[in-house]
Amino acid sequence: MGRLFGTDGVRGRANAGLTAELALDLSVAAAHVLGEVSAVDHAERTALARPRPVALVGRDPRASGEFLEAAVVSGLASAGVDVVRLGVVPTPGVAWLVGHLRADLGVMISASHNPMPDNGIKFFARGGTKLADSMEDLIEARMEEAWQRPTGASVGRVVDDPQPVEDYLAHLVTSLGRDQSDVVSLSGLKVVIDGANGAAYRTGPGAFQVQGAEVVAIHCEPDGLNINDGCGSTHLGDLQAAVREHGADLGIAVDGDADRCLCVDADGEVVDGDQILAVLAVAMKEAGTLSNDTVVATVMSNLGFLTAMREHGIHVVQSKVGDRYVLEDMRAGGHVLGGEQSGHVVQTRFATTGDGVLTGLHLAARMASTGRSLAELASIVQRMPQVLVNVPVLDKARAENDPPLLEAVTQEQTRLGERGRILLRPSGTEDLVRVMVEAETEEIAAGVAHRLADVVRARLGR
């Protein structure tokens, strides 16, 4: 069997690759690895009057989450872990609540932006942080080991508690100011929220309404089957139409588990993750809260974003693609803001992972406090045309050291000069090499991208 964990937990087709049996076994192993305690942890549990480890379990609304949640909870409780079932809640809500409630671990059942038949299981360690590869490897290895089953009073107990989700909603709102009396009002803003029929169908509109915004909610009626179905951050057409129809100031679309968001301005034009990140970075630099005057982005960030940050005196650290790698570089450098073009934005002052609702709130607060439109704020990033070509290959690792291919890249980059950029990146999950080119026009970018794709096929293709 290959490695179970991918770039963001364990995912698969629910009840096919991702079965109840696998969910139960994973949860037992995670309970053993993440629930093990040191003397310090034991003292903390004693102070909190907790005889056993505590896990928080949340899910998105997709139908398969119901049986997978039952399997996860059974595995945890059978391994001697007390479980708090949160119900339907965004992934960043689970992550934040693990730290806030000083739980030993958290579990989120979601396949994020994937279609409804898929599902996934992701774990959070103490403090609400995502797991390192080494910790995931320990969990997989533990699945093969025999274990002593607790009995009697040592088995875990299970409770349903919706209150922590309300605490998370309050946290989102208070993040907009130094204290409750200092929170930025969104009164006067009309906002369209596309909840992707997912985990933020209540907390998304609710957070904006609490702060005084006029909210038009679309795709906030999950039925277990319609999550991400032509809606959310991967399908912006309905959001664009709704913003224009209602004369809204902005539109915000999250994905199924609400750990990312993309936006549209009052004209229905898309504002991507690079632009959102730039707006927040400039606002934080002005407020003196951008540590080291540095933001973390990925190698896929548009050249226009890099130019804008340089012009505003903000340094950019570029990480590998994936929000977990953004987080790693943020922690390593003590940085407080990072994100991806896809809309994952992490503000470590308020969250341990990307949070689409939190990001949307802070973007709206910037509009409210400056009196400027989203289009005006986002215009600091002049996006260069970007073309991406995915090439199926036999050996993607050779993309990084094949001499004729590297020579072709060098020649094309020389022709582009400082007016363009080339990135060849082996996919982390598929047998593909991704060829990304930015240039002054889409025609130039496409020409370079397709010429290099031909070289990739000739050198590495099937």
Side-chain angles (χ1 to χ4, degrees):
M1 181 177 67
R3 192 174 191 271
L4 288 173
F5 284 89
T7 54
D8 196 18
V10 178
R11 288 193 192 181
R13 184 62 59 97
N15 218 28
L18 182 57
T19 63
E21 295 87 346
L22 176 57
L24 191 148
D25 291 344
L26 267 171
S27 300
V28 168
H32 292 151
V33 172
L34 300 175
E36 290 176 343
V37 297
S38 66
V40 174
D41 298 322
H42 182 75
E44 181 178 346
R45 276 194 199 147
T46 300
L48 294 171
R50 291 176 176 171
R52 290 176 294 271
V54 173
L56 307 183
V57 177
R59 63 179 179 87
D60 72 25
R62 67 189 79 208
S64 59
E66 296 166 2
F67 80 78
L68 288 171
E69 178 191 56
V72 166
V73 170
S74 295
L76 292 169
S78 71
V81 174
D82 288 340
V83 180
V84 178
R85 267 194 307 226
L86 302 173
V88 174
V89 59
T91 290
V94 175
W96 181 78
L97 286 167
V98 168
H100 178 65
L101 299 177
R102 296 159 74 179
D104 295 273
L105 68 149
V107 187
M108 180 66 186
I109 301 162
S110 174
S112 191
H113 61 280
N114 284 25
M116 181 275 296
D118 293 344
N119 217 322
I121 301 173
K122 62 181 76 175
F123 296 96
F124 295 97
R126 290 186 191 92
T129 59
K130 290 188 174 184
L131 305 188
D133 290 345
S134 58
M135 190 66 71
E136 292 175 343
D137 291 340
L138 286 175
I139 292 173
E140 288 198 28
R142 200 64 169 259
M143 292 173 68
E144 306 298 324
E145 298 178 10
W147 56 288
Q148 185 68 40
R149 296 174 180 271
T151 58
S154 296
V155 300
R157 305 298 298 273
V158 181
V159 298
D160 294 309
D161 188 357
Q163 181 56 45
V165 180
E166 298 304 315
D167 295 341
Y168 165 63
L169 177 59
H171 162 69
L172 291 174
V173 173
T174 56
S175 74
L176 295 178
R178 289 187 294 269
D179 53 51
Q180 187 63 52
S181 63
D182 186 47
V183 174
V184 176
S185 171
L186 302 182
S187 178
L189 286 181
K190 180 183 282 191
V191 185
V192 179
I193 306 290
D194 182 343
N197 291 316
Y201 77 99
R202 286 192 306 110
T203 55
F208 283 84
Q209 287 168 340
V210 167
Q211 281 315 102
E214 181 181 348
V215 175
V216 177
I218 64 173
H219 300 302
C220 288
E221 298 179 345
D223 61 11
L225 306 179
N226 58 1
I227 188 171
N228 299 322
D229 186 9
C231 57
S233 62
T234 53
H235 302 87
L236 295 175
D238 284 359
L239 180 66
Q240 292 171 299
V243 167
R244 295 188 189 105
E245 177 187 350
H246 293 280
D249 297 290
L250 76 157
I252 296 168
V254 297
D255 63 340
D257 71 337
D259 65 351
R260 71 172 78 177
C261 81
L262 292 177
C263 300
V264 301
D265 64 23
D267 296 322
E269 295 297 321
V270 175
V271 175
D272 69 10
D274 282 342
Q275 293 169 297
I276 294 169
L277 192 60
V279 172
L280 297 182
V282 171
M284 291 171 64
K285 184 173 188 289
E286 290 178 0
T289 58
L290 186 67
S291 65
N292 312 312
D293 286 343
T294 297
V295 63
V296 179
T298 75
V299 293
M300 291 294 287
S301 289
N302 193 277
L303 188 57
F305 167 80
L306 302 178
T307 300
M309 293 297 91
R310 183 171 62 250
E311 291 174 349
H312 284 81
I314 297 172
H315 178 63
V316 179
V317 173
Q318 290 189 274
S319 74
K320 294 191 293 184
V321 175
D323 64 318
R324 66 186 299 174
Y325 301 114
V326 171
L327 269 166
E328 285 177 6
D329 284 347
M330 290 175 69
R331 293 194 192 103
H335 310 307
V336 295
L337 180 67
E340 295 186 283
Q341 204 175 55
S342 61
H344 278 116
V345 174
V346 185
Q347 300 181 72
T348 55
R349 293 185 301 158
F350 312 114
T352 59
T353 185
D355 190 323
V357 178
L358 179 77
T359 299
L361 282 170
H362 282 253
L363 193 62
R366 177 65 169 172
M367 293 173 62
S369 62
T370 61
R372 299 164 69 188
S373 70
L374 181 56
E376 184 181 358
L377 291 170
S379 67
I380 62 172
V381 176
Q382 297 298 314
R383 289 180 294 185
M384 296 192 71
Q386 189 179 81
V387 173
L388 177 67
V389 179
N390 294 320
V391 185
V393 296
L394 289 172
D395 184 3
K396 61 186 178 182
R398 283 179 51 210
E400 299 176 334
N401 54 32
D402 182 74
L405 177 56
L406 297 181
E407 176 61 25
V409 171
T410 299
Q411 290 177 1
E412 294 286 1
Q413 184 63 68
T414 299
R415 294 191 189 101
L416 288 173
E418 294 184 355
R419 300 185 304 277
R421 185 168 69 105
I422 298 168
L423 178 67
L424 254 66
R425 185 175 67 86
S427 168
T429 57
E430 303 172 84
D431 290 327
L432 298 172
V433 170
R434 307 192 192 279
V435 182
M436 189 276 286
V437 179
E438 292 169 346
E440 289 181 306
T441 69
E442 188 163 353
E443 182 180 12
I444 294 173
V448 174
H450 288 292
R451 284 196 298 273
L452 287 176
D454 288 340
V455 178
V456 172
R457 290 188 191 96
R459 298 297 304 170
L460 315 177
R462 294 172 177 171

